Amino acid sequence: MNEITAIEAILYDISAYVVERYGQRDTLIVSTKASPTDFLTEVDIAVQKRIVEHLMDIFPTDVLIGEESGLDYFKGSPPSRCWMVDPIDGTQNFLRGLFPEFGVSIGFLVDGNPVAGGVLFPVSQDLFLAERGSGSFRNGKRMHVSQVDSLEKARVDIDFGALSYRHNYRKHAQGLLDVVGQVRSYGCSVMGFCQVADGQQDAYIPFNVKPWDVAAGMLLVQEAGGKVTSFDGGAVNPFVSERIGIVANPLIHPLCVDILGGLE
Protein backbone atom coordinates (compact mmCIF):
# COMPACT_ATOMS: atom_id res chain seq x y z
CA MET A 1 0.00 0.00 0.00
CA ASN A 2 1.46 3.37 -0.98
CA GLU A 3 1.21 6.52 1.13
CA ILE A 4 -1.77 8.25 -0.51
CA THR A 5 -3.80 5.03 -0.54
CA ALA A 6 -3.04 4.53 3.13
CA ILE A 7 -4.07 8.10 3.95
CA GLU A 8 -7.43 7.71 2.21
CA ALA A 9 -8.15 4.33 3.82
CA ILE A 10 -7.25 5.53 7.32
CA LEU A 11 -9.32 8.70 7.07
CA TYR A 12 -12.38 6.73 5.99
CA ASP A 13 -11.75 4.18 8.73
CA ILE A 14 -12.01 6.74 11.54
CA SER A 15 -14.83 8.78 9.98
CA ALA A 16 -17.81 6.94 11.47
CA TYR A 17 -16.31 7.04 14.97
CA VAL A 18 -15.75 10.82 14.78
CA VAL A 19 -19.29 11.46 13.55
CA GLU A 20 -20.73 9.24 16.28
CA ARG A 21 -18.78 11.03 19.00
CA TYR A 22 -19.69 14.42 17.54
CA GLY A 23 -23.30 13.47 18.17
CA GLN A 24 -22.36 12.67 21.78
CA ARG A 25 -20.21 15.76 22.33
CA ASP A 26 -22.16 16.87 25.41
CA THR A 27 -20.97 13.74 27.23
CA LEU A 28 -17.28 13.90 26.32
CA ILE A 29 -14.39 14.21 28.75
CA VAL A 30 -12.80 17.59 28.00
CA SER A 31 -9.70 19.32 29.36
CA THR A 32 -7.70 22.37 28.37
CA LYS A 33 -4.07 22.71 27.35
CA ALA A 34 -2.16 25.96 26.81
CA SER A 35 -5.15 28.29 27.24
CA PRO A 36 -8.77 28.21 28.44
CA THR A 37 -9.95 27.82 24.84
CA ASP A 38 -7.33 25.24 23.77
CA PHE A 39 -9.43 22.13 24.28
CA LEU A 40 -8.45 18.47 24.38
CA THR A 41 -11.12 15.78 24.19
CA GLU A 42 -11.05 12.02 24.51
CA VAL A 43 -11.88 11.93 20.79
CA ASP A 44 -8.64 13.74 19.87
CA ILE A 45 -6.67 11.14 21.78
CA ALA A 46 -8.60 8.13 20.46
CA VAL A 47 -8.46 9.27 16.83
CA GLN A 48 -4.73 9.95 16.94
CA LYS A 49 -4.11 6.58 18.60
CA ARG A 50 -6.04 4.77 15.88
CA ILE A 51 -4.27 6.66 13.07
CA VAL A 52 -0.83 6.05 14.58
CA GLU A 53 -1.56 2.33 15.00
CA HIS A 54 -2.60 2.04 11.36
CA LEU A 55 0.47 3.93 10.14
CA MET A 56 2.85 1.91 12.28
CA ASP A 57 1.37 -1.33 10.97
CA ILE A 58 1.95 -0.24 7.37
CA PHE A 59 5.13 1.87 7.73
CA PRO A 60 6.80 0.61 10.93
CA THR A 61 10.12 2.45 10.48
CA ASP A 62 8.70 5.91 9.74
CA VAL A 63 8.72 8.80 12.24
CA LEU A 64 5.36 9.90 13.67
CA ILE A 65 4.56 13.45 14.83
CA GLY A 66 1.11 14.29 16.18
CA GLU A 67 -0.64 16.98 18.18
CA GLU A 68 -1.48 14.83 21.21
CA SER A 69 -0.08 12.23 23.60
CA GLY A 70 3.52 13.44 23.63
CA LEU A 71 4.05 13.14 19.88
CA ASP A 72 4.15 16.92 19.42
CA TYR A 73 7.89 17.32 19.83
CA PHE A 74 10.72 16.48 17.47
CA LYS A 75 14.36 17.43 17.86
CA GLY A 76 16.96 17.51 15.14
CA SER A 77 16.89 17.60 11.36
CA PRO A 78 13.72 16.55 9.55
CA PRO A 79 13.67 12.75 9.17
CA SER A 80 13.81 11.21 5.71
CA ARG A 81 10.28 9.79 6.11
CA CYS A 82 7.80 11.38 8.49
CA TRP A 83 4.06 11.50 9.17
CA MET A 84 2.23 14.43 10.77
CA VAL A 85 -1.20 13.84 12.26
CA ASP A 86 -3.86 16.25 13.48
CA PRO A 87 -6.68 14.10 14.89
CA ILE A 88 -9.23 16.91 15.21
CA ASP A 89 -8.41 20.33 13.82
CA GLY A 90 -11.09 22.78 14.87
CA THR A 91 -11.84 21.23 18.26
CA GLN A 92 -13.79 24.35 19.26
CA ASN A 93 -16.15 23.75 16.34
CA PHE A 94 -16.35 20.06 17.20
CA LEU A 95 -17.32 20.77 20.81
CA ARG A 96 -19.65 23.73 20.40
CA GLY A 97 -21.45 22.60 17.30
CA LEU A 98 -21.80 26.24 16.25
CA PHE A 99 -20.27 25.50 12.87
CA PRO A 100 -19.73 21.79 12.31
CA GLU A 101 -16.53 22.10 10.34
CA PHE A 102 -13.57 20.29 11.76
CA GLY A 103 -11.11 18.09 9.95
CA VAL A 104 -8.83 15.12 10.41
CA SER A 105 -5.47 15.66 8.73
CA ILE A 106 -2.65 13.29 7.76
CA GLY A 107 0.49 14.48 5.97
CA PHE A 108 3.44 12.45 4.72
CA LEU A 109 6.81 14.21 4.35
CA VAL A 110 10.14 13.30 2.79
CA ASP A 111 13.16 15.26 4.01
CA GLY A 112 10.84 17.84 5.58
CA ASN A 113 8.64 18.47 2.54
CA PRO A 114 5.05 17.22 2.10
CA VAL A 115 4.66 14.69 -0.70
CA ALA A 116 1.23 13.23 0.15
CA GLY A 117 -1.61 14.47 2.30
CA GLY A 118 -5.28 14.18 3.05
CA VAL A 119 -7.97 15.98 5.04
CA LEU A 120 -11.40 14.58 5.80
CA PHE A 121 -14.32 16.63 7.13
CA PRO A 122 -16.32 13.84 8.78
CA VAL A 123 -19.72 15.58 8.97
CA SER A 124 -19.87 16.52 5.28
CA GLN A 125 -17.72 13.55 4.18
CA ASP A 126 -15.62 15.86 2.02
CA LEU A 127 -12.27 14.23 1.31
CA PHE A 128 -9.30 16.29 0.10
CA LEU A 129 -6.24 14.45 -1.25
CA ALA A 130 -2.99 15.50 -2.89
CA GLU A 131 0.27 13.96 -4.07
CA ARG A 132 3.34 15.94 -5.08
CA GLY A 133 3.28 16.41 -8.84
CA SER A 134 -0.10 14.69 -9.30
CA GLY A 135 -2.62 17.39 -8.45
CA SER A 136 -5.05 18.14 -5.68
CA PHE A 137 -8.56 16.68 -5.45
CA ARG A 138 -11.83 17.09 -3.56
CA ASN A 139 -13.96 13.95 -3.65
CA GLY A 140 -12.10 12.86 -6.75
CA LYS A 141 -12.53 16.15 -8.64
CA ARG A 142 -9.40 18.14 -9.42
CA MET A 143 -9.14 21.48 -7.62
CA HIS A 144 -7.77 24.84 -8.71
CA VAL A 145 -7.26 28.00 -6.71
CA SER A 146 -9.37 31.04 -7.57
CA GLN A 147 -8.53 33.71 -10.13
CA VAL A 148 -9.60 36.66 -7.97
CA ASP A 149 -6.94 39.32 -8.42
CA SER A 150 -7.84 42.17 -6.06
CA LEU A 151 -8.17 42.36 -2.29
CA GLU A 152 -11.34 44.43 -2.63
CA LYS A 153 -13.00 41.44 -4.32
CA ALA A 154 -11.30 38.82 -2.17
CA ARG A 155 -12.62 36.51 0.53
CA VAL A 156 -9.90 35.99 3.14
CA ASP A 157 -9.85 33.77 6.23
CA ILE A 158 -7.76 35.43 8.95
CA ASP A 159 -6.86 33.06 11.79
CA PHE A 160 -6.22 35.33 14.74
CA GLY A 161 -5.09 32.47 16.96
CA ALA A 162 -4.81 32.28 20.72
CA LEU A 163 -5.42 35.30 22.91
CA SER A 164 -1.90 35.10 24.36
CA TYR A 165 -0.29 36.33 21.15
CA ARG A 166 -3.25 37.81 19.27
CA HIS A 167 -2.46 41.30 20.53
CA ASN A 168 0.98 41.14 18.91
CA TYR A 169 -0.52 40.52 15.48
CA ARG A 170 -3.63 42.67 15.65
CA LYS A 171 -2.02 45.75 14.10
CA HIS A 172 -0.72 43.69 11.19
CA ALA A 173 -4.10 42.09 10.56
CA GLN A 174 -5.61 45.56 10.57
CA GLY A 175 -3.86 46.32 7.29
CA LEU A 176 -5.82 43.53 5.64
CA LEU A 177 -9.06 44.32 7.43
CA ASP A 178 -8.93 47.81 5.93
CA VAL A 179 -8.89 46.57 2.32
CA VAL A 180 -10.26 43.01 2.05
CA GLY A 181 -13.75 42.68 0.63
CA GLN A 182 -14.86 39.74 2.79
CA VAL A 183 -13.25 38.51 6.01
CA ARG A 184 -13.83 35.13 7.64
CA SER A 185 -12.39 33.40 10.71
CA TYR A 186 -13.38 29.74 10.86
CA GLY A 187 -11.07 28.57 13.64
CA CYS A 188 -9.88 25.54 11.68
CA SER A 189 -6.53 25.62 9.91
CA VAL A 190 -7.16 22.69 7.60
CA MET A 191 -10.38 24.32 6.47
CA GLY A 192 -8.46 27.47 5.57
CA PHE A 193 -6.06 25.50 3.40
CA CYS A 194 -8.76 23.38 1.78
CA GLN A 195 -10.93 26.35 0.91
CA VAL A 196 -8.04 28.15 -0.78
CA ALA A 197 -7.14 24.97 -2.69
CA ASP A 198 -10.74 24.61 -3.90
CA GLY A 199 -11.11 28.27 -4.88
CA GLN A 200 -13.81 28.91 -2.28
CA GLN A 201 -11.72 31.64 -0.76
CA ASP A 202 -8.75 33.53 -2.06
CA ALA A 203 -6.36 33.62 0.87
CA TYR A 204 -5.87 32.20 4.34
CA ILE A 205 -3.74 34.19 6.79
CA PRO A 206 -2.72 32.14 9.83
CA PHE A 207 -0.83 33.49 12.81
CA ASN A 208 1.28 30.87 14.58
CA VAL A 209 0.16 27.50 13.22
CA LYS A 210 1.69 24.15 14.20
CA PRO A 211 3.32 21.53 11.95
CA TRP A 212 0.35 19.13 12.08
CA ASP A 213 -1.98 22.01 11.11
CA VAL A 214 -0.22 22.50 7.78
CA ALA A 215 1.45 19.25 6.67
CA ALA A 216 -1.41 18.10 4.44
CA GLY A 217 -2.99 21.49 3.77
CA MET A 218 0.03 23.20 2.25
CA LEU A 219 0.42 20.40 -0.30
CA LEU A 220 -3.27 20.62 -1.20
CA VAL A 221 -2.85 24.33 -1.91
CA GLN A 222 0.41 24.01 -3.83
CA GLU A 223 -0.91 21.21 -6.03
CA ALA A 224 -3.99 23.34 -6.77
CA GLY A 225 -1.77 26.16 -8.05
CA GLY A 226 -1.55 28.25 -4.90
CA LYS A 227 1.31 29.55 -2.77
CA VAL A 228 2.21 28.92 0.87
CA THR A 229 4.92 31.22 2.23
CA SER A 230 6.13 33.30 5.13
CA PHE A 231 4.77 36.83 5.52
CA ASP A 232 7.62 38.17 3.39
CA GLY A 233 7.05 35.58 0.67
CA GLY A 234 9.86 33.24 1.69
CA ALA A 235 9.92 29.46 1.37
CA VAL A 236 8.52 27.41 4.27
CA ASN A 237 7.82 23.83 5.28
CA PRO A 238 5.91 22.24 8.18
CA PHE A 239 9.04 22.06 10.35
CA VAL A 240 9.12 25.87 10.37
CA SER A 241 5.34 26.22 10.62
CA GLU A 242 5.62 29.26 12.87
CA ARG A 243 6.86 31.19 9.82
CA ILE A 244 3.87 30.30 7.64
CA GLY A 245 1.70 33.36 7.19
CA ILE A 246 0.27 33.61 3.67
CA VAL A 247 -1.73 30.93 1.87
CA ALA A 248 -3.19 32.35 -1.32
CA ASN A 249 -3.82 32.15 -5.01
CA PRO A 250 -0.82 33.51 -6.99
CA LEU A 251 -2.65 36.74 -7.90
CA ILE A 252 -3.59 37.71 -4.35
CA HIS A 253 -0.34 36.48 -2.80
CA PRO A 254 1.94 39.44 -3.70
CA LEU A 255 -0.74 41.87 -2.49
CA CYS A 256 -0.74 40.13 0.88
CA VAL A 257 3.06 40.23 0.99
CA ASP A 258 2.95 44.00 0.40
CA ILE A 259 0.79 44.43 3.50
CA LEU A 260 2.18 41.72 5.78
CA GLY A 261 5.85 41.51 4.77
CA GLY A 262 6.94 43.65 7.69
CA LEU A 263 6.14 40.86 10.14
CA GLU A 264 9.40 39.07 9.35
Side-chain angles (χ1 to χ4, degrees):
M1 182 180 292
N2 65 15
E3 290 81 11
I4 195 67
T5 303
I7 289 170
E8 181 175 7
I10 293 168
L11 288 172
Y12 275 134
D13 176 76
I14 55 88
S15 176
Y17 169 76
V18 176
V19 172
E20 177 186 10
R21 299 300 277 153
Y22 175 68
Q24 303 165 347
R25 59 190 179 278
D26 292 340
T27 69
L28 296 178
I29 298 171
V30 181
S31 59
T32 57
K33 296 186 287 185
S35 75
T37 57
D38 187 7
F39 292 115
L40 172 65
T41 76
E42 59 188 285
V43 180
D44 295 88
I45 296 170
V47 169
Q48 180 171 293
K49 182 175 184 292
R50 185 179 295 190
I51 292 173
V52 168
E53 287 174 350
H54 280 311
L55 289 173
M56 288 295 90
D57 284 344
I58 305 168
F59 308 103
T61 62
D62 289 356
V63 173
L64 259 296
I65 296 174
E67 183 174 10
E68 315 299 350
S69 305
L71 294 180
D72 60 338
Y73 178 74
F74 178 81
K75 185 176 182 179
S77 301
S80 58
R81 290 177 55 91
C82 174
W83 296 85
M84 289 186 177
V85 176
D86 194 339
I88 300 287
D89 187 53
T91 303
Q92 274 267 8
N93 297 340
F94 177 83
L95 279 174
R96 299 290 299 273
L98 296 173
F99 185 66
E101 287 296 348
F102 49 86
V104 183
S105 176
I106 304 173
F108 172 66
L109 297 83
V110 173
D111 296 328
N113 297 302
V115 297
V119 175
L120 177 70
F121 294 92
V123 173
S124 66
Q125 287 292 290
D126 278 319
L127 177 65
F128 294 77
L129 295 171
E131 284 186 283
R132 178 70 65 193
S134 298
S136 186
F137 298 83
R138 177 181 184 176
N139 300 327
K141 182 180 179 180
R142 189 159 192 150
M143 297 188 295
H144 302 279
V145 296
S146 74
Q147 295 298 306
V148 172
D149 60 0
S150 75
L151 290 174
E152 292 79 7
K153 299 176 183 177
R155 176 187 293 174
V156 178
D157 178 0
I158 302 178
D159 190 343
F160 293 98
L163 183 62
S164 59
Y165 52 77
R166 190 182 309 156
H167 300 295
N168 296 331
Y169 298 128
R170 185 171 53 194
K171 63 180 181 297
H172 301 292
Q174 188 62 51
L176 279 179
L177 293 172
D178 290 342
V179 296
V180 167
Q182 297 183 63
V183 175
R184 303 289 187 268
S185 186
Y186 296 109
C188 177
S189 292
V190 296
M191 187 174 179
F193 281 97
C194 288
Q195 288 206 334
V196 171
D198 201 27
Q200 294 181 319
Q201 63 187 20
D202 311 303
Y204 168 53
I205 308 299
F207 293 101
N208 205 354
V209 285
K210 302 298 184 182
W212 42 86
D213 296 327
V214 307
M218 68 180 299
L219 182 62
L220 286 162
V221 170
Q222 291 167 341
E223 287 295 312
K227 304 188 75 172
V228 181
T229 71
S230 62
F231 288 113
D232 67 356
V236 291
N237 66 61
F239 282 93
V240 292
S241 62
E242 70 281 356
R243 295 188 63 233
I244 293 175
I246 300 176
V247 181
N249 77 33
L251 303 174
I252 291 292
H253 180 268
L255 306 179
C256 293
V257 172
D258 287 344
I259 294 172
L260 298 168
L263 269 70
E264 294 299 317

